[in-house]
Amino acid sequence: MNSAHRVRLGVLGSGKGSNFVAIADACAAGRLPAEVALVLSDVPEAGILDRARERGLRARHLAPGPYRSKLDPAAEAAYVQALQEARVDWVVLAGFMRIIKEPLLQAFPHRIVNIHPALLPSFPGLESWKQALEYGVKVTGVTVHLVDAGIDSGPIVAQAPVAVEDDDTPATLHARIQQVEHELYPAALARLFTGRLEVVGRRARLRTPHSPASGQTG
Ligand code: GRF
């Protein structure tokens, strides 16, 4: 990929879109060498669609089909087609509440990334900040990871901690986690798009122009 090429992003979300806003703003400010080519949502009234349209970006609702937690095969094929027609290089999940299956994974191998509101592998799945509070951990955080066929199980790209305070409620902890998400996600994407990604087993490693050559340790 030559340096003049801005990475084209397809962003998928089901919710209010605060991570999408952080990413779109980072693109606009030049902190992220990318552009949002298309936003897709399975929820017609999702805030992420409004946030995209306010910014003059292409945004579409694409019906998910009858299932609750995944796209049905025809719907997933429609997502792939829309992303390919928009010439998307990377798919960015930003609060997309459905499991990604083979059609999307095969169309964008190691090119689908997600953000999760906990330090994986702790607290995968839904409402991870509540899981962290209920478990009683003192530190939780945020994980950016590549997407595989499991739930929040793909190779980890970046993590950042968030301290749990004694007087936290689910709402206060979630709010602090989201602040960290809004910093970590654009920064992790910038590193992904400017470095060379190697995935060996579970380990995702980024080689930047200044990092040691592959095979060296340290
Ligand atoms: C974020 O907390 C993210 O970690 C999770 O879904 C939430 C999306 O929030 N995957 P928003 O729509 O980006 O505000």
Side-chain angles (χ1 to χ4, degrees), residues 14-20 48 93-97 114-118 129 142 174 177-178 181-182:
S14 309
K16 66 182 193 291
S18 68
N19 279 285
F20 160 74
I48 192 171
L93 305 185
F96 190 63
M97 301 304 286
N114 184 42
I115 190 159
H116 183 76
W129 57 92
V142 176
H174 188 211
I177 286 172
Q178 285 231 290
E181 289 185 332
H182 301 160

mmCIF file of all heavy atoms in Angstrom, residues 14-20 48 93-97 114-118 129 142 174 177-178 181-182, ligand 1:
data_model
loop_
_atom_site.group_PDB
_atom_site.id
_atom_site.type_symbol
_atom_site.label_atom_id
_atom_site.label_comp_id
_atom_site.label_asym_id
_atom_site.label_seq_id
_atom_site.Cartn_x
_atom_site.Cartn_y
_atom_site.Cartn_z
ATOM 1 N N SER A 14 -24.071 -0.703 16.013
ATOM 2 C CA SER A 14 -25.495 -0.870 16.326
ATOM 3 C C SER A 14 -25.997 0.191 17.287
ATOM 4 O O SER A 14 -27.197 0.233 17.571
ATOM 5 C CB SER A 14 -25.715 -2.240 17.003
ATOM 6 O OG SER A 14 -25.144 -3.287 16.267
ATOM 7 N N GLY A 15 -25.104 1.031 17.815
ATOM 8 C CA GLY A 15 -25.501 1.904 18.922
ATOM 9 C C GLY A 15 -25.280 3.372 18.650
ATOM 10 O O GLY A 15 -25.419 3.843 17.527
ATOM 11 N N LYS A 16 -24.864 4.066 19.726
ATOM 12 C CA LYS A 16 -24.844 5.527 19.637
ATOM 13 C C LYS A 16 -23.677 6.053 18.817
ATOM 14 O O LYS A 16 -23.729 7.177 18.325
ATOM 15 C CB LYS A 16 -24.846 6.140 21.031
ATOM 16 C CG LYS A 16 -23.631 5.892 21.892
ATOM 17 C CD LYS A 16 -23.847 6.532 23.258
ATOM 18 C CE LYS A 16 -22.579 6.611 24.086
ATOM 19 N NZ LYS A 16 -22.100 5.280 24.534
ATOM 20 N N GLY A 17 -22.621 5.288 18.688
ATOM 21 C CA GLY A 17 -21.569 5.659 17.747
ATOM 22 C C GLY A 17 -20.500 6.569 18.305
ATOM 23 O O GLY A 17 -19.828 7.269 17.539
ATOM 24 N N SER A 18 -20.258 6.520 19.627
ATOM 25 C CA SER A 18 -19.226 7.423 20.156
ATOM 26 C C SER A 18 -17.832 7.008 19.698
ATOM 27 O O SER A 18 -16.969 7.866 19.463
ATOM 28 C CB SER A 18 -19.306 7.508 21.678
ATOM 29 O OG SER A 18 -18.954 6.292 22.286
ATOM 30 N N ASN A 19 -17.583 5.715 19.558
ATOM 31 C CA ASN A 19 -16.278 5.296 19.029
ATOM 32 C C ASN A 19 -16.136 5.670 17.563
ATOM 33 O O ASN A 19 -15.054 6.070 17.125
ATOM 34 C CB ASN A 19 -16.077 3.792 19.224
ATOM 35 C CG ASN A 19 -15.635 3.477 20.630
ATOM 36 O OD1 ASN A 19 -14.479 3.699 20.990
ATOM 37 N ND2 ASN A 19 -16.563 3.003 21.451
ATOM 38 N N PHE A 20 -17.218 5.547 16.820
ATOM 39 C CA PHE A 20 -17.167 5.992 15.431
ATOM 40 C C PHE A 20 -16.803 7.476 15.359
ATOM 41 O O PHE A 20 -15.971 7.883 14.534
ATOM 42 C CB PHE A 20 -18.523 5.751 14.733
ATOM 43 C CG PHE A 20 -18.672 6.602 13.515
ATOM 44 C CD1 PHE A 20 -17.966 6.295 12.362
ATOM 45 C CD2 PHE A 20 -19.464 7.736 13.539
ATOM 46 C CE1 PHE A 20 -18.054 7.117 11.247
ATOM 47 C CE2 PHE A 20 -19.553 8.554 12.434
ATOM 48 C CZ PHE A 20 -18.855 8.247 11.274
ATOM 49 N N ILE A 48 -25.267 5.910 15.393
ATOM 50 C CA ILE A 48 -24.072 5.909 14.542
ATOM 51 C C ILE A 48 -24.412 6.363 13.115
ATOM 52 O O ILE A 48 -23.607 7.043 12.474
ATOM 53 C CB ILE A 48 -23.382 4.519 14.556
ATOM 54 C CG1 ILE A 48 -22.007 4.602 13.927
ATOM 55 C CG2 ILE A 48 -24.233 3.450 13.929
ATOM 56 C CD1 ILE A 48 -21.169 3.339 14.102
ATOM 57 N N LEU A 93 -15.310 -2.615 13.678
ATOM 58 C CA LEU A 93 -16.529 -2.816 14.467
ATOM 59 C C LEU A 93 -16.524 -1.808 15.607
ATOM 60 O O LEU A 93 -15.567 -1.740 16.383
ATOM 61 C CB LEU A 93 -16.592 -4.245 15.009
ATOM 62 C CG LEU A 93 -16.470 -5.377 13.984
ATOM 63 C CD1 LEU A 93 -16.687 -6.729 14.672
ATOM 64 C CD2 LEU A 93 -17.450 -5.211 12.829
ATOM 65 N N ALA A 94 -17.594 -1.041 15.701
ATOM 66 C CA ALA A 94 -17.692 -0.009 16.734
ATOM 67 C C ALA A 94 -19.053 -0.157 17.397
ATOM 68 O O ALA A 94 -20.013 0.532 17.061
ATOM 69 C CB ALA A 94 -17.521 1.384 16.118
ATOM 70 N N GLY A 95 -19.128 -1.146 18.302
ATOM 71 C CA GLY A 95 -20.397 -1.414 18.961
ATOM 72 C C GLY A 95 -21.364 -2.168 18.069
ATOM 73 O O GLY A 95 -22.569 -1.957 18.159
ATOM 74 N N PHE A 96 -20.842 -3.077 17.220
ATOM 75 C CA PHE A 96 -21.712 -3.895 16.361
ATOM 76 C C PHE A 96 -22.068 -5.145 17.157
ATOM 77 O O PHE A 96 -21.185 -5.915 17.544
ATOM 78 C CB PHE A 96 -20.994 -4.268 15.064
ATOM 79 C CG PHE A 96 -21.889 -4.899 14.036
ATOM 80 C CD1 PHE A 96 -22.955 -4.184 13.505
ATOM 81 C CD2 PHE A 96 -21.663 -6.191 13.591
ATOM 82 C CE1 PHE A 96 -23.788 -4.753 12.542
ATOM 83 C CE2 PHE A 96 -22.485 -6.761 12.634
ATOM 84 C CZ PHE A 96 -23.546 -6.043 12.109
ATOM 85 N N MET A 97 -23.359 -5.321 17.415
ATOM 86 C CA MET A 97 -23.790 -6.297 18.416
ATOM 87 C C MET A 97 -24.123 -7.663 17.811
ATOM 88 O O MET A 97 -24.998 -8.377 18.301
ATOM 89 C CB MET A 97 -25.002 -5.755 19.180
ATOM 90 C CG MET A 97 -24.732 -4.434 19.883
ATOM 91 S SD MET A 97 -23.321 -4.507 21.012
ATOM 92 C CE MET A 97 -24.034 -5.448 22.343
ATOM 93 N N ASN A 114 -12.039 -4.968 16.301
ATOM 94 C CA ASN A 114 -13.129 -4.689 17.241
ATOM 95 C C ASN A 114 -12.563 -4.028 18.496
ATOM 96 O O ASN A 114 -11.384 -4.191 18.809
ATOM 97 C CB ASN A 114 -13.825 -6.006 17.630
ATOM 98 C CG ASN A 114 -15.022 -5.789 18.529
ATOM 99 O OD1 ASN A 114 -15.812 -4.873 18.330
ATOM 100 N ND2 ASN A 114 -15.168 -6.629 19.550
ATOM 101 N N ILE A 115 -13.420 -3.302 19.194
ATOM 102 C CA ILE A 115 -13.033 -2.792 20.508
ATOM 103 C C ILE A 115 -13.959 -3.399 21.546
ATOM 104 O O ILE A 115 -15.167 -3.535 21.321
ATOM 105 C CB ILE A 115 -13.053 -1.249 20.557
ATOM 106 C CG1 ILE A 115 -12.413 -0.757 21.861
ATOM 107 C CG2 ILE A 115 -14.456 -0.687 20.355
ATOM 108 C CD1 ILE A 115 -11.930 0.662 21.806
ATOM 109 N N HIS A 116 -13.347 -3.791 22.679
ATOM 110 C CA HIS A 116 -14.114 -4.466 23.728
ATOM 111 C C HIS A 116 -13.867 -3.751 25.055
ATOM 112 O O HIS A 116 -12.716 -3.451 25.392
ATOM 113 C CB HIS A 116 -13.686 -5.932 23.826
ATOM 114 C CG HIS A 116 -14.478 -6.684 24.839
ATOM 115 N ND1 HIS A 116 -15.775 -7.095 24.600
ATOM 116 C CD2 HIS A 116 -14.180 -7.052 26.110
ATOM 117 C CE1 HIS A 116 -16.228 -7.701 25.690
ATOM 118 N NE2 HIS A 116 -15.286 -7.692 26.616
ATOM 119 N N PRO A 117 -14.924 -3.518 25.848
ATOM 120 C CA PRO A 117 -14.771 -2.722 27.069
ATOM 121 C C PRO A 117 -14.322 -3.525 28.283
ATOM 122 O O PRO A 117 -14.943 -3.474 29.343
ATOM 123 C CB PRO A 117 -16.166 -2.129 27.255
ATOM 124 C CG PRO A 117 -17.078 -3.153 26.674
ATOM 125 C CD PRO A 117 -16.332 -3.789 25.538
ATOM 126 N N ALA A 118 -13.217 -4.270 28.134
ATOM 127 C CA ALA A 118 -12.585 -5.006 29.240
ATOM 128 C C ALA A 118 -11.207 -5.433 28.775
ATOM 129 O O ALA A 118 -10.889 -5.331 27.581
ATOM 130 C CB ALA A 118 -13.406 -6.237 29.637
ATOM 131 N N TRP A 129 -18.366 -4.122 31.734
ATOM 132 C CA TRP A 129 -18.112 -3.270 32.897
ATOM 133 C C TRP A 129 -18.924 -3.757 34.095
ATOM 134 O O TRP A 129 -18.434 -3.710 35.223
ATOM 135 C CB TRP A 129 -18.412 -1.799 32.551
ATOM 136 C CG TRP A 129 -19.814 -1.580 32.075
ATOM 137 C CD1 TRP A 129 -20.898 -1.247 32.831
ATOM 138 C CD2 TRP A 129 -20.298 -1.717 30.730
ATOM 139 N NE1 TRP A 129 -22.030 -1.174 32.053
ATOM 140 C CE2 TRP A 129 -21.684 -1.454 30.757
ATOM 141 C CE3 TRP A 129 -19.694 -2.046 29.518
ATOM 142 C CZ2 TRP A 129 -22.470 -1.499 29.610
ATOM 143 C CZ3 TRP A 129 -20.481 -2.085 28.383
ATOM 144 C CH2 TRP A 129 -21.843 -1.814 28.438
ATOM 145 N N VAL A 142 -9.710 -1.747 28.379
ATOM 146 C CA VAL A 142 -10.176 -1.724 26.991
ATOM 147 C C VAL A 142 -9.223 -2.575 26.157
ATOM 148 O O VAL A 142 -8.014 -2.526 26.369
ATOM 149 C CB VAL A 142 -10.171 -0.271 26.462
ATOM 150 C CG1 VAL A 142 -10.552 -0.235 24.987
ATOM 151 C CG2 VAL A 142 -11.111 0.602 27.285
ATOM 152 N N HIS A 174 -18.506 2.556 33.184
ATOM 153 C CA HIS A 174 -18.655 2.494 31.724
ATOM 154 C C HIS A 174 -18.235 3.815 31.083
ATOM 155 O O HIS A 174 -17.576 3.840 30.041
ATOM 156 C CB HIS A 174 -20.100 2.160 31.349
ATOM 157 C CG HIS A 174 -20.292 1.888 29.890
ATOM 158 N ND1 HIS A 174 -21.450 2.161 29.228
ATOM 159 C CD2 HIS A 174 -19.437 1.386 28.957
ATOM 160 C CE1 HIS A 174 -21.321 1.836 27.954
ATOM 161 N NE2 HIS A 174 -20.117 1.360 27.761
ATOM 162 N N ILE A 177 -14.490 3.961 30.993
ATOM 163 C CA ILE A 177 -13.994 3.013 29.975
ATOM 164 C C ILE A 177 -14.179 3.616 28.579
ATOM 165 O O ILE A 177 -13.282 3.541 27.733
ATOM 166 C CB ILE A 177 -14.733 1.660 30.110
ATOM 167 C CG1 ILE A 177 -14.214 0.915 31.345
ATOM 168 C CG2 ILE A 177 -14.579 0.817 28.856
ATOM 169 C CD1 ILE A 177 -15.000 -0.351 31.688
ATOM 170 N N GLN A 178 -15.313 4.248 28.360
ATOM 171 C CA GLN A 178 -15.546 4.808 27.019
ATOM 172 C C GLN A 178 -14.560 5.943 26.711
ATOM 173 O O GLN A 178 -14.086 6.060 25.575
ATOM 174 C CB GLN A 178 -16.991 5.288 26.891
ATOM 175 C CG GLN A 178 -17.951 4.095 26.739
ATOM 176 C CD GLN A 178 -18.881 4.245 25.560
ATOM 177 O OE1 GLN A 178 -19.768 5.088 25.595
ATOM 178 N NE2 GLN A 178 -18.698 3.441 24.532
ATOM 179 N N GLU A 181 -11.596 4.241 25.555
ATOM 180 C CA GLU A 181 -11.839 3.697 24.209
ATOM 181 C C GLU A 181 -11.604 4.755 23.139
ATOM 182 O O GLU A 181 -11.011 4.472 22.093
ATOM 183 C CB GLU A 181 -13.287 3.208 24.089
ATOM 184 C CG GLU A 181 -13.588 1.949 24.865
ATOM 185 C CD GLU A 181 -14.995 1.438 24.616
ATOM 186 O OE1 GLU A 181 -15.903 2.241 24.312
ATOM 187 O OE2 GLU A 181 -15.187 0.229 24.733
ATOM 188 N N HIS A 182 -12.088 5.952 23.411
ATOM 189 C CA HIS A 182 -12.033 6.997 22.378
ATOM 190 C C HIS A 182 -10.606 7.445 22.086
ATOM 191 O O HIS A 182 -10.331 7.984 21.019
ATOM 192 C CB HIS A 182 -12.909 8.186 22.795
ATOM 193 C CG HIS A 182 -14.341 7.809 23.004
ATOM 194 N ND1 HIS A 182 -15.223 8.555 23.740
ATOM 195 C CD2 HIS A 182 -15.027 6.712 22.577
ATOM 196 C CE1 HIS A 182 -16.395 7.948 23.765
ATOM 197 N NE2 HIS A 182 -16.308 6.829 23.068
HETATM 198 C C1 GRF B 1 -18.293 0.262 23.236
HETATM 199 O O1 GRF B 1 -18.275 0.325 24.641
HETATM 200 C C2 GRF B 1 -17.496 -0.894 22.734
HETATM 201 O O2 GRF B 1 -16.475 -1.285 23.586
HETATM 202 C C3 GRF B 1 -18.508 -1.993 22.609
HETATM 203 O O3 GRF B 1 -19.699 -1.354 22.237
HETATM 204 C C4 GRF B 1 -19.691 -0.017 22.724
HETATM 205 C C5 GRF B 1 -20.069 0.883 21.589
HETATM 206 O O4 GRF B 1 -20.301 2.193 22.022
HETATM 207 N N1 GRF B 1 -18.057 -2.979 21.664
HETATM 208 P P1 GRF B 1 -20.467 3.364 20.974
HETATM 209 O O5 GRF B 1 -21.658 3.040 20.094
HETATM 210 O O6 GRF B 1 -19.192 3.455 20.184
HETATM 211 O O7 GRF B 1 -20.700 4.577 21.796
#
